[in-house]
Amino acid sequence: EVQLVESGGGLIQPGGSLRLSCAASGFTVSTNYMTWVRQAPGKGLEWVSVIFTGGTTYYADSVKGRFTISRDNSKSTLYLQMNSLRAEDTAVYYCARERSASYSPLHFFDYWGQGTLVTVSS
Amino acid sequence: QSALTQPRSVSGSPGQSVTISCTGTSSDVGGYNYVSWYQQHPGKAPKLMIYDVSKRPSGVPDRFSGSRSGNTASLTVSGLQAEDEADYYCCSYAGSYTYVFGTGTKVTVL
């Protein structure tokens, strides 16, 4: 059974840093495209970042230069390092698997974790 | 990248059909066959309902269907049931490896 479990959220002051983790089971993180999507309280979904099977990464303009996506294949875990946090980064952060075939992305997200809440406030 | 435009809410009685629109541009919805739809119940994670504009993952009832005309995609829920009451979001690939989600629609079963 595919499962994604996020952790690492919490209350952090503006300008601070936080690292989110997403433990995956039931599939191999290294051979899948993995993404982060966030949802501000009472708001819609916003795509944040993706890491390809080969390690290439992409980011939304709103987080570029501040967030870094990575993974540890040995731990089957995805990470999101968030620096220079702002109030507008307050959201539930979901990790999700982007479905792929023959190592090519299919451009939809088939499994999601339950999310972890990040609150940026002084 | 601006969010795709969805109606804030739609409603219907049990057994009826509702359709949710998702309007973008030729750079996203109209430019790629990569529109997907997600259902989200309160406090829960999103769930994939439709991908590639109109394909349904296994396990999703055939009451859910997707389509597209120009820069507007649509999700139709036929034979509305109580458990269909949720928020629905469209999503489109927008090129240069980015994605844009819709503003979200609350479906209410009367």
Side-chain angles (χ1 to χ4, degrees), chain A residues 39 45 47 52 94 98 105 107-109 113, chain B residues 34 38 40 44-46 48 51 89 97 99 101:
Chain A
Q39 185 172 34
L45 300 168
W47 178 82
F52 285 14
Y94 296 99
E98 179 171 348
H107 302 299
F108 61 89
F109 313 111
Chain B
Y34 298 130
Y38 302 87
Q40 186 179 37
K44 301 296 186 181
L48 176 68
Y51 67 97
Y89 293 92
Y97 221 93
Y99 292 92
F101 281 91

mmCIF file with all atom_site columns, all heavy atoms in Angstrom, chain A residues 39 45 47 52 94 98 105 107-109 113, chain B residues 34 38 40 44-46 48 51 89 97 99 101:
data_model
loop_
_atom_site.group_PDB
_atom_site.id
_atom_site.type_symbol
_atom_site.label_atom_id
_atom_site.label_alt_id
_atom_site.label_comp_id
_atom_site.label_asym_id
_atom_site.label_entity_id
_atom_site.label_seq_id
_atom_site.pdbx_PDB_ins_code
_atom_site.Cartn_x
_atom_site.Cartn_y
_atom_site.Cartn_z
_atom_site.occupancy
_atom_site.B_iso_or_equiv
_atom_site.pdbx_formal_charge
_atom_site.auth_seq_id
_atom_site.auth_comp_id
_atom_site.auth_asym_id
_atom_site.auth_atom_id
_atom_site.pdbx_PDB_model_num
ATOM 1   N N   . GLN A 1 39  ? -1.224  24.575 0.897   1.00 0.00 ? 39  GLN A N   1
ATOM 2   C CA  . GLN A 1 39  ? -2.569  25.140 0.957   1.00 0.00 ? 39  GLN A CA  1
ATOM 3   C C   . GLN A 1 39  ? -2.657  26.071 2.156   1.00 0.00 ? 39  GLN A C   1
ATOM 4   O O   . GLN A 1 39  ? -2.641  25.613 3.301   1.00 0.00 ? 39  GLN A O   1
ATOM 5   C CB  . GLN A 1 39  ? -3.610  24.027 1.062   1.00 0.00 ? 39  GLN A CB  1
ATOM 6   C CG  . GLN A 1 39  ? -5.050  24.494 1.012   1.00 0.00 ? 39  GLN A CG  1
ATOM 7   C CD  . GLN A 1 39  ? -6.031  23.340 0.921   1.00 0.00 ? 39  GLN A CD  1
ATOM 8   O OE1 . GLN A 1 39  ? -5.812  22.263 1.477   1.00 0.00 ? 39  GLN A OE1 1
ATOM 9   N NE2 . GLN A 1 39  ? -7.125  23.553 0.190   1.00 0.00 ? 39  GLN A NE2 1
ATOM 10  N N   . LEU A 1 45  ? -5.121  25.228 -3.457  1.00 0.00 ? 45  LEU A N   1
ATOM 11  C CA  . LEU A 1 45  ? -3.861  24.512 -3.554  1.00 0.00 ? 45  LEU A CA  1
ATOM 12  C C   . LEU A 1 45  ? -2.865  25.295 -4.400  1.00 0.00 ? 45  LEU A C   1
ATOM 13  O O   . LEU A 1 45  ? -3.240  25.986 -5.341  1.00 0.00 ? 45  LEU A O   1
ATOM 14  C CB  . LEU A 1 45  ? -4.092  23.139 -4.182  1.00 0.00 ? 45  LEU A CB  1
ATOM 15  C CG  . LEU A 1 45  ? -5.050  22.219 -3.429  1.00 0.00 ? 45  LEU A CG  1
ATOM 16  C CD1 . LEU A 1 45  ? -5.415  21.012 -4.295  1.00 0.00 ? 45  LEU A CD1 1
ATOM 17  C CD2 . LEU A 1 45  ? -4.438  21.761 -2.121  1.00 0.00 ? 45  LEU A CD2 1
ATOM 18  N N   . TRP A 1 47  ? 1.014   24.611 -6.212  1.00 0.00 ? 47  TRP A N   1
ATOM 19  C CA  . TRP A 1 47  ? 2.172   23.772 -6.471  1.00 0.00 ? 47  TRP A CA  1
ATOM 20  C C   . TRP A 1 47  ? 3.430   24.493 -6.030  1.00 0.00 ? 47  TRP A C   1
ATOM 21  O O   . TRP A 1 47  ? 3.590   25.692 -6.292  1.00 0.00 ? 47  TRP A O   1
ATOM 22  C CB  . TRP A 1 47  ? 2.235   23.437 -7.958  1.00 0.00 ? 47  TRP A CB  1
ATOM 23  C CG  . TRP A 1 47  ? 3.424   22.617 -8.337  1.00 0.00 ? 47  TRP A CG  1
ATOM 24  C CD1 . TRP A 1 47  ? 3.575   21.265 -8.219  1.00 0.00 ? 47  TRP A CD1 1
ATOM 25  C CD2 . TRP A 1 47  ? 4.656   23.110 -8.871  1.00 0.00 ? 47  TRP A CD2 1
ATOM 26  N NE1 . TRP A 1 47  ? 4.834   20.897 -8.656  1.00 0.00 ? 47  TRP A NE1 1
ATOM 27  C CE2 . TRP A 1 47  ? 5.503   22.005 -9.071  1.00 0.00 ? 47  TRP A CE2 1
ATOM 28  C CE3 . TRP A 1 47  ? 5.128   24.377 -9.208  1.00 0.00 ? 47  TRP A CE3 1
ATOM 29  C CZ2 . TRP A 1 47  ? 6.779   22.119 -9.590  1.00 0.00 ? 47  TRP A CZ2 1
ATOM 30  C CZ3 . TRP A 1 47  ? 6.399   24.512 -9.725  1.00 0.00 ? 47  TRP A CZ3 1
ATOM 31  C CH2 . TRP A 1 47  ? 7.213   23.386 -9.913  1.00 0.00 ? 47  TRP A CH2 1
ATOM 32  N N   . PHE A 1 52  ? 12.831  15.445 -9.919  1.00 0.00 ? 52  PHE A N   1
ATOM 33  C CA  . PHE A 1 52  ? 12.755  14.384 -10.913 1.00 0.00 ? 52  PHE A CA  1
ATOM 34  C C   . PHE A 1 52  ? 13.503  13.142 -10.433 1.00 0.00 ? 52  PHE A C   1
ATOM 35  O O   . PHE A 1 52  ? 14.309  13.197 -9.504  1.00 0.00 ? 52  PHE A O   1
ATOM 36  C CB  . PHE A 1 52  ? 13.400  14.852 -12.214 1.00 0.00 ? 52  PHE A CB  1
ATOM 37  C CG  . PHE A 1 52  ? 12.571  15.829 -12.999 1.00 0.00 ? 52  PHE A CG  1
ATOM 38  C CD1 . PHE A 1 52  ? 11.479  16.480 -12.468 1.00 0.00 ? 52  PHE A CD1 1
ATOM 39  C CD2 . PHE A 1 52  ? 12.922  16.106 -14.314 1.00 0.00 ? 52  PHE A CD2 1
ATOM 40  C CE1 . PHE A 1 52  ? 10.747  17.373 -13.211 1.00 0.00 ? 52  PHE A CE1 1
ATOM 41  C CE2 . PHE A 1 52  ? 12.197  17.008 -15.076 1.00 0.00 ? 52  PHE A CE2 1
ATOM 42  C CZ  . PHE A 1 52  ? 11.108  17.641 -14.520 1.00 0.00 ? 52  PHE A CZ  1
ATOM 43  N N   . TYR A 1 94  ? 1.690   19.538 1.651   1.00 0.00 ? 94  TYR A N   1
ATOM 44  C CA  . TYR A 1 94  ? 1.457   18.153 1.261   1.00 0.00 ? 94  TYR A CA  1
ATOM 45  C C   . TYR A 1 94  ? 2.602   17.673 0.364   1.00 0.00 ? 94  TYR A C   1
ATOM 46  O O   . TYR A 1 94  ? 3.036   18.408 -0.534  1.00 0.00 ? 94  TYR A O   1
ATOM 47  C CB  . TYR A 1 94  ? 0.173   18.014 0.449   1.00 0.00 ? 94  TYR A CB  1
ATOM 48  C CG  . TYR A 1 94  ? -1.106  18.348 1.171   1.00 0.00 ? 94  TYR A CG  1
ATOM 49  C CD1 . TYR A 1 94  ? -1.714  19.590 1.012   1.00 0.00 ? 94  TYR A CD1 1
ATOM 50  C CD2 . TYR A 1 94  ? -1.733  17.410 1.987   1.00 0.00 ? 94  TYR A CD2 1
ATOM 51  C CE1 . TYR A 1 94  ? -2.911  19.893 1.651   1.00 0.00 ? 94  TYR A CE1 1
ATOM 52  C CE2 . TYR A 1 94  ? -2.927  17.704 2.635   1.00 0.00 ? 94  TYR A CE2 1
ATOM 53  C CZ  . TYR A 1 94  ? -3.501  18.951 2.456   1.00 0.00 ? 94  TYR A CZ  1
ATOM 54  O OH  . TYR A 1 94  ? -4.691  19.234 3.098   1.00 0.00 ? 94  TYR A OH  1
ATOM 55  N N   . GLU A 1 98  ? 4.006   12.314 -8.229  1.00 0.00 ? 98  GLU A N   1
ATOM 56  C CA  . GLU A 1 98  ? 3.548   12.571 -9.586  1.00 0.00 ? 98  GLU A CA  1
ATOM 57  C C   . GLU A 1 98  ? 3.697   11.274 -10.360 1.00 0.00 ? 98  GLU A C   1
ATOM 58  O O   . GLU A 1 98  ? 4.795   10.719 -10.451 1.00 0.00 ? 98  GLU A O   1
ATOM 59  C CB  . GLU A 1 98  ? 4.350   13.680 -10.258 1.00 0.00 ? 98  GLU A CB  1
ATOM 60  C CG  . GLU A 1 98  ? 3.892   13.939 -11.682 1.00 0.00 ? 98  GLU A CG  1
ATOM 61  C CD  . GLU A 1 98  ? 4.520   15.171 -12.295 1.00 0.00 ? 98  GLU A CD  1
ATOM 62  O OE1 . GLU A 1 98  ? 5.133   15.965 -11.564 1.00 0.00 ? 98  GLU A OE1 1
ATOM 63  O OE2 . GLU A 1 98  ? 4.378   15.330 -13.519 1.00 0.00 ? 98  GLU A OE2 1
ATOM 64  N N   . PRO A 1 105 ? 7.289   11.994 -16.707 1.00 0.00 ? 105 PRO A N   1
ATOM 65  C CA  . PRO A 1 105 ? 6.152   12.444 -15.895 1.00 0.00 ? 105 PRO A CA  1
ATOM 66  C C   . PRO A 1 105 ? 4.854   12.387 -16.677 1.00 0.00 ? 105 PRO A C   1
ATOM 67  O O   . PRO A 1 105 ? 4.835   12.640 -17.877 1.00 0.00 ? 105 PRO A O   1
ATOM 68  C CB  . PRO A 1 105 ? 6.538   13.881 -15.545 1.00 0.00 ? 105 PRO A CB  1
ATOM 69  C CG  . PRO A 1 105 ? 7.398   14.326 -16.682 1.00 0.00 ? 105 PRO A CG  1
ATOM 70  C CD  . PRO A 1 105 ? 8.183   13.112 -17.094 1.00 0.00 ? 105 PRO A CD  1
ATOM 71  N N   . HIS A 1 107 ? 2.144   14.067 -15.356 1.00 0.00 ? 107 HIS A N   1
ATOM 72  C CA  . HIS A 1 107 ? 1.538   15.361 -15.045 1.00 0.00 ? 107 HIS A CA  1
ATOM 73  C C   . HIS A 1 107 ? 0.243   15.294 -14.256 1.00 0.00 ? 107 HIS A C   1
ATOM 74  O O   . HIS A 1 107 ? -0.678  16.072 -14.499 1.00 0.00 ? 107 HIS A O   1
ATOM 75  C CB  . HIS A 1 107 ? 1.373   16.195 -16.327 1.00 0.00 ? 107 HIS A CB  1
ATOM 76  C CG  . HIS A 1 107 ? 2.662   16.436 -17.052 1.00 0.00 ? 107 HIS A CG  1
ATOM 77  N ND1 . HIS A 1 107 ? 3.713   17.114 -16.491 1.00 0.00 ? 107 HIS A ND1 1
ATOM 78  C CD2 . HIS A 1 107 ? 3.061   16.066 -18.293 1.00 0.00 ? 107 HIS A CD2 1
ATOM 79  C CE1 . HIS A 1 107 ? 4.724   17.153 -17.353 1.00 0.00 ? 107 HIS A CE1 1
ATOM 80  N NE2 . HIS A 1 107 ? 4.361   16.526 -18.454 1.00 0.00 ? 107 HIS A NE2 1
ATOM 81  N N   . PHE A 1 108 ? 0.166   14.355 -13.327 1.00 0.00 ? 108 PHE A N   1
ATOM 82  C CA  . PHE A 1 108 ? -0.904  14.379 -12.341 1.00 0.00 ? 108 PHE A CA  1
ATOM 83  C C   . PHE A 1 108 ? -0.385  13.704 -11.073 1.00 0.00 ? 108 PHE A C   1
ATOM 84  O O   . PHE A 1 108 ? 0.592   12.978 -11.094 1.00 0.00 ? 108 PHE A O   1
ATOM 85  C CB  . PHE A 1 108 ? -2.190  13.711 -12.856 1.00 0.00 ? 108 PHE A CB  1
ATOM 86  C CG  . PHE A 1 108 ? -2.053  12.266 -13.215 1.00 0.00 ? 108 PHE A CG  1
ATOM 87  C CD1 . PHE A 1 108 ? -2.252  11.267 -12.273 1.00 0.00 ? 108 PHE A CD1 1
ATOM 88  C CD2 . PHE A 1 108 ? -1.745  11.898 -14.521 1.00 0.00 ? 108 PHE A CD2 1
ATOM 89  C CE1 . PHE A 1 108 ? -2.137  9.937  -12.619 1.00 0.00 ? 108 PHE A CE1 1
ATOM 90  C CE2 . PHE A 1 108 ? -1.633  10.562 -14.871 1.00 0.00 ? 108 PHE A CE2 1
ATOM 91  C CZ  . PHE A 1 108 ? -1.827  9.580  -13.918 1.00 0.00 ? 108 PHE A CZ  1
ATOM 92  N N   . PHE A 1 109 ? -1.076  13.998 -9.969  1.00 0.00 ? 109 PHE A N   1
ATOM 93  C CA  . PHE A 1 109 ? -0.598  13.568 -8.650  1.00 0.00 ? 109 PHE A CA  1
ATOM 94  C C   . PHE A 1 109 ? -1.531  12.489 -8.114  1.00 0.00 ? 109 PHE A C   1
ATOM 95  O O   . PHE A 1 109 ? -2.691  12.767 -7.814  1.00 0.00 ? 109 PHE A O   1
ATOM 96  C CB  . PHE A 1 109 ? -0.543  14.774 -7.711  1.00 0.00 ? 109 PHE A CB  1
ATOM 97  C CG  . PHE A 1 109 ? 0.131   15.967 -8.346  1.00 0.00 ? 109 PHE A CG  1
ATOM 98  C CD1 . PHE A 1 109 ? -0.586  17.096 -8.673  1.00 0.00 ? 109 PHE A CD1 1
ATOM 99  C CD2 . PHE A 1 109 ? 1.486   15.932 -8.645  1.00 0.00 ? 109 PHE A CD2 1
ATOM 100 C CE1 . PHE A 1 109 ? 0.013   18.181 -9.286  1.00 0.00 ? 109 PHE A CE1 1
ATOM 101 C CE2 . PHE A 1 109 ? 2.098   17.017 -9.266  1.00 0.00 ? 109 PHE A CE2 1
ATOM 102 C CZ  . PHE A 1 109 ? 1.363   18.135 -9.582  1.00 0.00 ? 109 PHE A CZ  1
ATOM 103 N N   . GLY A 1 113 ? 0.059   12.802 0.842   1.00 0.00 ? 113 GLY A N   1
ATOM 104 C CA  . GLY A 1 113 ? 0.117   12.627 2.278   1.00 0.00 ? 113 GLY A CA  1
ATOM 105 C C   . GLY A 1 113 ? -0.994  13.430 2.936   1.00 0.00 ? 113 GLY A C   1
ATOM 106 O O   . GLY A 1 113 ? -1.777  14.111 2.263   1.00 0.00 ? 113 GLY A O   1
ATOM 107 N N   . TYR B 2 34  ? -3.163  17.980 -20.112 1.00 0.00 ? 34  TYR B N   1
ATOM 108 C CA  . TYR B 2 34  ? -2.776  17.580 -18.756 1.00 0.00 ? 34  TYR B CA  1
ATOM 109 C C   . TYR B 2 34  ? -3.593  18.331 -17.711 1.00 0.00 ? 34  TYR B C   1
ATOM 110 O O   . TYR B 2 34  ? -3.045  18.992 -16.835 1.00 0.00 ? 34  TYR B O   1
ATOM 111 C CB  . TYR B 2 34  ? -1.289  17.828 -18.533 1.00 0.00 ? 34  TYR B CB  1
ATOM 112 C CG  . TYR B 2 34  ? -0.383  17.044 -19.442 1.00 0.00 ? 34  TYR B CG  1
ATOM 113 C CD1 . TYR B 2 34  ? 0.631   17.672 -20.157 1.00 0.00 ? 34  TYR B CD1 1
ATOM 114 C CD2 . TYR B 2 34  ? -0.540  15.668 -19.594 1.00 0.00 ? 34  TYR B CD2 1
ATOM 115 C CE1 . TYR B 2 34  ? 1.464   16.948 -20.996 1.00 0.00 ? 34  TYR B CE1 1
ATOM 116 C CE2 . TYR B 2 34  ? 0.292   14.944 -20.429 1.00 0.00 ? 34  TYR B CE2 1
ATOM 117 C CZ  . TYR B 2 34  ? 1.288   15.586 -21.128 1.00 0.00 ? 34  TYR B CZ  1
ATOM 118 O OH  . TYR B 2 34  ? 2.110   14.871 -21.957 1.00 0.00 ? 34  TYR B OH  1
ATOM 119 N N   . TYR B 2 38  ? -9.166  17.207 -8.507  1.00 0.00 ? 38  TYR B N   1
ATOM 120 C CA  . TYR B 2 38  ? -8.967  16.646 -7.174  1.00 0.00 ? 38  TYR B CA  1
ATOM 121 C C   . TYR B 2 38  ? -10.154 16.987 -6.286  1.00 0.00 ? 38  TYR B C   1
ATOM 122 O O   . TYR B 2 38  ? -10.660 18.110 -6.317  1.00 0.00 ? 38  TYR B O   1
ATOM 123 C CB  . TYR B 2 38  ? -7.671  17.176 -6.561  1.00 0.00 ? 38  TYR B CB  1
ATOM 124 C CG  . TYR B 2 38  ? -6.472  16.847 -7.428  1.00 0.00 ? 38  TYR B CG  1
ATOM 125 C CD1 . TYR B 2 38  ? -6.082  17.691 -8.461  1.00 0.00 ? 38  TYR B CD1 1
ATOM 126 C CD2 . TYR B 2 38  ? -5.767  15.654 -7.259  1.00 0.00 ? 38  TYR B CD2 1
ATOM 127 C CE1 . TYR B 2 38  ? -5.038  17.362 -9.302  1.00 0.00 ? 38  TYR B CE1 1
ATOM 128 C CE2 . TYR B 2 38  ? -4.714  15.321 -8.093  1.00 0.00 ? 38  TYR B CE2 1
ATOM 129 C CZ  . TYR B 2 38  ? -4.366  16.181 -9.120  1.00 0.00 ? 38  TYR B CZ  1
ATOM 130 O OH  . TYR B 2 38  ? -3.329  15.849 -9.952  1.00 0.00 ? 38  TYR B OH  1
ATOM 131 N N   . GLN B 2 40  ? -11.454 17.219 -2.345  1.00 0.00 ? 40  GLN B N   1
ATOM 132 C CA  . GLN B 2 40  ? -10.890 17.382 -1.008  1.00 0.00 ? 40  GLN B CA  1
ATOM 133 C C   . GLN B 2 40  ? -12.008 17.562 0.010   1.00 0.00 ? 40  GLN B C   1
ATOM 134 O O   . GLN B 2 40  ? -12.735 18.553 -0.021  1.00 0.00 ? 40  GLN B O   1
ATOM 135 C CB  . GLN B 2 40  ? -9.931  18.572 -0.945  1.00 0.00 ? 40  GLN B CB  1
ATOM 136 C CG  . GLN B 2 40  ? -9.210  18.698 0.386   1.00 0.00 ? 40  GLN B CG  1
ATOM 137 C CD  . GLN B 2 40  ? -8.247  19.873 0.435   1.00 0.00 ? 40  GLN B CD  1
ATOM 138 O OE1 . GLN B 2 40  ? -8.515  20.928 -0.114  1.00 0.00 ? 40  GLN B OE1 1
ATOM 139 N NE2 . GLN B 2 40  ? -7.117  19.689 1.127   1.00 0.00 ? 40  GLN B NE2 1
ATOM 140 N N   . LYS B 2 44  ? -8.936  16.860 5.017   1.00 0.00 ? 44  LYS B N   1
ATOM 141 C CA  . LYS B 2 44  ? -8.341  15.678 4.377   1.00 0.00 ? 44  LYS B CA  1
ATOM 142 C C   . LYS B 2 44  ? -7.424  16.070 3.225   1.00 0.00 ? 44  LYS B C   1
ATOM 143 O O   . LYS B 2 44  ? -7.431  17.209 2.764   1.00 0.00 ? 44  LYS B O   1
ATOM 144 C CB  . LYS B 2 44  ? -9.438  14.752 3.853   1.00 0.00 ? 44  LYS B CB  1
ATOM 145 C CG  . LYS B 2 44  ? -10.392 14.262 4.925   1.00 0.00 ? 44  LYS B CG  1
ATOM 146 C CD  . LYS B 2 44  ? -9.685  13.396 5.947   1.00 0.00 ? 44  LYS B CD  1
ATOM 147 C CE  . LYS B 2 44  ? -10.662 12.783 6.930   1.00 0.00 ? 44  LYS B CE  1
ATOM 148 N NZ  . LYS B 2 44  ? -9.957  11.940 7.954   1.00 0.00 ? 44  LYS B NZ  1
ATOM 149 N N   . ALA B 2 45  ? -6.638  15.099 2.773   1.00 0.00 ? 45  ALA B N   1
ATOM 150 C CA  . ALA B 2 45  ? -5.772  15.333 1.630   1.00 0.00 ? 45  ALA B CA  1
ATOM 151 C C   . ALA B 2 45  ? -6.582  15.299 0.334   1.00 0.00 ? 45  ALA B C   1
ATOM 152 O O   . ALA B 2 45  ? -7.622  14.643 0.263   1.00 0.00 ? 45  ALA B O   1
ATOM 153 C CB  . ALA B 2 45  ? -4.686  14.257 1.582   1.00 0.00 ? 45  ALA B CB  1
ATOM 154 N N   . PRO B 2 46  ? -6.123  15.986 -0.687  1.00 0.00 ? 46  PRO B N   1
ATOM 155 C CA  . PRO B 2 46  ? -6.780  15.900 -1.999  1.00 0.00 ? 46  PRO B CA  1
ATOM 156 C C   . PRO B 2 46  ? -6.729  14.474 -2.540  1.00 0.00 ? 46  PRO B C   1
ATOM 157 O O   . PRO B 2 46  ? -5.805  13.723 -2.235  1.00 0.00 ? 46  PRO B O   1
ATOM 158 C CB  . PRO B 2 46  ? -5.953  16.847 -2.873  1.00 0.00 ? 46  PRO B CB  1
ATOM 159 C CG  . PRO B 2 46  ? -5.313  17.792 -1.908  1.00 0.00 ? 46  PRO B CG  1
ATOM 160 C CD  . PRO B 2 46  ? -5.019  16.959 -0.697  1.00 0.00 ? 46  PRO B CD  1
ATOM 161 N N   . LEU B 2 48  ? -7.194  12.308 -6.253  1.00 0.00 ? 48  LEU B N   1
ATOM 162 C CA  . LEU B 2 48  ? -7.269  12.392 -7.718  1.00 0.00 ? 48  LEU B CA  1
ATOM 163 C C   . LEU B 2 48  ? -8.585  11.802 -8.219  1.00 0.00 ? 48  LEU B C   1
ATOM 164 O O   . LEU B 2 48  ? -8.914  10.662 -7.888  1.00 0.00 ? 48  LEU B O   1
ATOM 165 C CB  . LEU B 2 48  ? -6.093  11.642 -8.338  1.00 0.00 ? 48  LEU B CB  1
ATOM 166 C CG  . LEU B 2 48  ? -6.063  11.537 -9.863  1.00 0.00 ? 48  LEU B CG  1
ATOM 167 C CD1 . LEU B 2 48  ? -5.812  12.908 -10.485 1.00 0.00 ? 48  LEU B CD1 1
ATOM 168 C CD2 . LEU B 2 48  ? -4.991  10.547 -10.304 1.00 0.00 ? 48  LEU B CD2 1
ATOM 169 N N   . TYR B 2 51  ? -7.738  12.644 -14.654 1.00 0.00 ? 51  TYR B N   1
ATOM 170 C CA  . TYR B 2 51  ? -6.445  13.070 -15.179 1.00 0.00 ? 51  TYR B CA  1
ATOM 171 C C   . TYR B 2 51  ? -6.507  13.079 -16.701 1.00 0.00 ? 51  TYR B C   1
ATOM 172 O O   . TYR B 2 51  ? -7.420  12.501 -17.291 1.00 0.00 ? 51  TYR B O   1
ATOM 173 C CB  . TYR B 2 51  ? -5.311  12.192 -14.660 1.00 0.00 ? 51  TYR B CB  1
ATOM 174 C CG  . TYR B 2 51  ? -5.344  10.755 -15.149 1.00 0.00 ? 51  TYR B CG  1
ATOM 175 C CD1 . TYR B 2 51  ? -4.588  10.351 -16.237 1.00 0.00 ? 51  TYR B CD1 1
ATOM 176 C CD2 . TYR B 2 51  ? -6.147  9.801  -14.505 1.00 0.00 ? 51  TYR B CD2 1
ATOM 177 C CE1 . TYR B 2 51  ? -4.618  9.048  -16.681 1.00 0.00 ? 51  TYR B CE1 1
ATOM 178 C CE2 . TYR B 2 51  ? -6.183  8.492  -14.943 1.00 0.00 ? 51  TYR B CE2 1
ATOM 179 C CZ  . TYR B 2 51  ? -5.410  8.113  -16.034 1.00 0.00 ? 51  TYR B CZ  1
ATOM 180 O OH  . TYR B 2 51  ? -5.442  6.815  -16.461 1.00 0.00 ? 51  TYR B OH  1
ATOM 181 N N   . TYR B 2 89  ? -10.811 20.871 -6.994  1.00 0.00 ? 89  TYR B N   1
ATOM 182 C CA  . TYR B 2 89  ? -9.794  21.726 -7.605  1.00 0.00 ? 89  TYR B CA  1
ATOM 183 C C   . TYR B 2 89  ? -9.363  21.147 -8.940  1.00 0.00 ? 89  TYR B C   1
ATOM 184 O O   . TYR B 2 89  ? -9.085  19.940 -9.043  1.00 0.00 ? 89  TYR B O   1
ATOM 185 C CB  . TYR B 2 89  ? -8.561  21.819 -6.703  1.00 0.00 ? 89  TYR B CB  1
ATOM 186 C CG  . TYR B 2 89  ? -8.798  22.529 -5.401  1.00 0.00 ? 89  TYR B CG  1
ATOM 187 C CD1 . TYR B 2 89  ? -9.160  21.818 -4.260  1.00 0.00 ? 89  TYR B CD1 1
ATOM 188 C CD2 . TYR B 2 89  ? -8.651  23.917 -5.299  1.00 0.00 ? 89  TYR B CD2 1
ATOM 189 C CE1 . TYR B 2 89  ? -9.387  22.467 -3.060  1.00 0.00 ? 89  TYR B CE1 1
ATOM 190 C CE2 . TYR B 2 89  ? -8.873  24.566 -4.098  1.00 0.00 ? 89  TYR B CE2 1
ATOM 191 C CZ  . TYR B 2 89  ? -9.241  23.832 -2.988  1.00 0.00 ? 89  TYR B CZ  1
ATOM 192 O OH  . TYR B 2 89  ? -9.457  24.491 -1.799  1.00 0.00 ? 89  TYR B OH  1
ATOM 193 N N   . TYR B 2 97  ? 7.873   23.166 -16.714 1.00 0.00 ? 97  TYR B N   1
ATOM 194 C CA  . TYR B 2 97  ? 7.689   22.364 -15.512 1.00 0.00 ? 97  TYR B CA  1
ATOM 195 C C   . TYR B 2 97  ? 7.083   23.143 -14.359 1.00 0.00 ? 97  TYR B C   1
ATOM 196 O O   . TYR B 2 97  ? 7.685   23.227 -13.264 1.00 0.00 ? 97  TYR B O   1
ATOM 197 C CB  . TYR B 2 97  ? 8.938   21.607 -15.075 1.00 0.00 ? 97  TYR B CB  1
ATOM 198 C CG  . TYR B 2 97  ? 8.462   20.264 -14.643 1.00 0.00 ? 97  TYR B CG  1
ATOM 199 C CD1 . TYR B 2 97  ? 8.438   19.203 -15.536 1.00 0.00 ? 97  TYR B CD1 1
ATOM 200 C CD2 . TYR B 2 97  ? 7.884   20.092 -13.394 1.00 0.00 ? 97  TYR B CD2 1
ATOM 201 C CE1 . TYR B 2 97  ? 7.894   17.995 -15.185 1.00 0.00 ? 97  TYR B CE1 1
ATOM 202 C CE2 . TYR B 2 97  ? 7.321   18.878 -13.039 1.00 0.00 ? 97  TYR B CE2 1
ATOM 203 C CZ  . TYR B 2 97  ? 7.339   17.838 -13.932 1.00 0.00 ? 97  TYR B CZ  1
ATOM 204 O OH  . TYR B 2 97  ? 6.781   16.647 -13.570 1.00 0.00 ? 97  TYR B OH  1
ATOM 205 N N   . TYR B 2 99  ? 3.004   23.984 -12.533 1.00 0.00 ? 99  TYR B N   1
ATOM 206 C CA  . TYR B 2 99  ? 1.596   23.611 -12.491 1.00 0.00 ? 99  TYR B CA  1
ATOM 207 C C   . TYR B 2 99  ? 0.795   24.764 -11.899 1.00 0.00 ? 99  TYR B C   1
ATOM 208 O O   . TYR B 2 99  ? 1.286   25.499 -11.036 1.00 0.00 ? 99  TYR B O   1
ATOM 209 C CB  . TYR B 2 99  ? 1.390   22.368 -11.631 1.00 0.00 ? 99  TYR B CB  1
ATOM 210 C CG  . TYR B 2 99  ? 1.974   21.124 -12.239 1.00 0.00 ? 99  TYR B CG  1
ATOM 211 C CD1 . TYR B 2 99  ? 3.274   20.729 -11.942 1.00 0.00 ? 99  TYR B CD1 1
ATOM 212 C CD2 . TYR B 2 99  ? 1.243   20.360 -13.141 1.00 0.00 ? 99  TYR B CD2 1
ATOM 213 C CE1 . TYR B 2 99  ? 3.818   19.597 -12.520 1.00 0.00 ? 99  TYR B CE1 1
ATOM 214 C CE2 . TYR B 2 99  ? 1.784   19.229 -13.727 1.00 0.00 ? 99  TYR B CE2 1
ATOM 215 C CZ  . TYR B 2 99  ? 3.068   18.856 -13.412 1.00 0.00 ? 99  TYR B CZ  1
ATOM 216 O OH  . TYR B 2 99  ? 3.602   17.746 -13.993 1.00 0.00 ? 99  TYR B OH  1
ATOM 217 N N   . PHE B 2 101 ? -3.073  25.478 -10.163 1.00 0.00 ? 101 PHE B N   1
ATOM 218 C CA  . PHE B 2 101 ? -4.331  24.934 -9.656  1.00 0.00 ? 101 PHE B CA  1
ATOM 219 C C   . PHE B 2 101 ? -5.449  25.962 -9.840  1.00 0.00 ? 101 PHE B C   1
ATOM 220 O O   . PHE B 2 101 ? -5.205  27.155 -10.006 1.00 0.00 ? 101 PHE B O   1
ATOM 221 C CB  . PHE B 2 101 ? -4.207  24.602 -8.167  1.00 0.00 ? 101 PHE B CB  1
ATOM 222 C CG  . PHE B 2 101 ? -3.494  23.314 -7.887  1.00 0.00 ? 101 PHE B CG  1
ATOM 223 C CD1 . PHE B 2 101 ? -2.116  23.294 -7.680  1.00 0.00 ? 101 PHE B CD1 1
ATOM 224 C CD2 . PHE B 2 101 ? -4.191  22.115 -7.815  1.00 0.00 ? 101 PHE B CD2 1
ATOM 225 C CE1 . PHE B 2 101 ? -1.455  22.096 -7.419  1.00 0.00 ? 101 PHE B CE1 1
ATOM 226 C CE2 . PHE B 2 101 ? -3.538  20.921 -7.547  1.00 0.00 ? 101 PHE B CE2 1
ATOM 227 C CZ  . PHE B 2 101 ? -2.168  20.911 -7.352  1.00 0.00 ? 101 PHE B CZ  1
#
